[in-house]
Amino acid sequence: MSNSREITRSSGTSVEEAKPRLKKPRMYRVLLMNDDYTPMEFVVRILRKIFRLTEEQSVQIMLKVHTEGSGVCGVFTAEIAETRVREVLGLAREHQHPLKCTMEPEKRHVI
């Protein structure tokens, strides 16, 4: 017996129901940008609170942001990435830090 469902019409012919093809959603990288004013401890707190990273992961990303100018906090679907960017910017504004956070499409790998 096949996995697809067959529908029998009153005319006696049967039609196979097509399975919907699901595409993987486009993924987005959330990036933090370095500035000369936001304390490193605040960046670590943001990474732990919003991105739920460990202390060690947070420190590694914070150091990458500090030394290279930007760092990836995570890769998410568009809606989640937008939410995380908004949360970072909101907390930074609330604490009067100029921390910048953006998102960009993840590069697709062609095999």
Side-chain angles (χ1 to χ4, degrees):
M1 180 174 225
S2 108
N3 287 341
S4 60
R5 290 183 13 199
E6 285 190 14
I7 301 170
T8 305
R9 300 198 183 256
S10 58
S11 64
T13 60
S14 63
V15 178
E16 207 170 297
E17 187 176 302
K19 288 185 179 181
R21 289 188 182 179
L22 300 178
K23 252 172 76 174
K24 285 189 175 183
R26 183 115 193 231
M27 302 300 282
Y28 292 82
R29 300 178 339 154
V30 176
L31 301 149
L32 283 180
M33 306 300 169
N34 189 39
D35 65 69
D36 293 332
Y37 303 102
T38 305
M40 292 179 183
E41 297 79 18
F42 181 76
V43 174
V44 170
R45 247 185 294 142
I46 288 276
L47 291 165
R48 295 208 59 196
K49 181 175 183 169
I50 295 175
F51 297 95
R52 297 175 186 91
L53 299 174
T54 65
E55 179 79 18
E56 185 178 327
Q57 291 169 320
S58 299
V59 169
Q60 286 177 351
I61 292 170
M62 176 274 296
L63 288 173
K64 184 172 177 72
V65 170
H66 181 68
T67 59
E68 297 179 21
S70 68
V72 178
C73 306
V75 179
F76 310 96
T77 60
E79 294 81 13
I80 294 172
E82 288 170 356
T83 300
R84 301 279 164 93
V85 168
R86 251 193 321 269
E87 288 175 330
V88 168
L89 296 176
L91 273 176
R93 193 174 314 114
E94 182 181 315
H95 290 88
Q96 299 178 343
H97 295 302
L99 184 63
K100 297 288 182 220
C101 185
T102 62
M103 60 187 262
E104 65 181 26
E106 177 77 343
K107 291 179 178 71
R108 295 186 180 193
H109 299 288
V110 179
I111 298 174

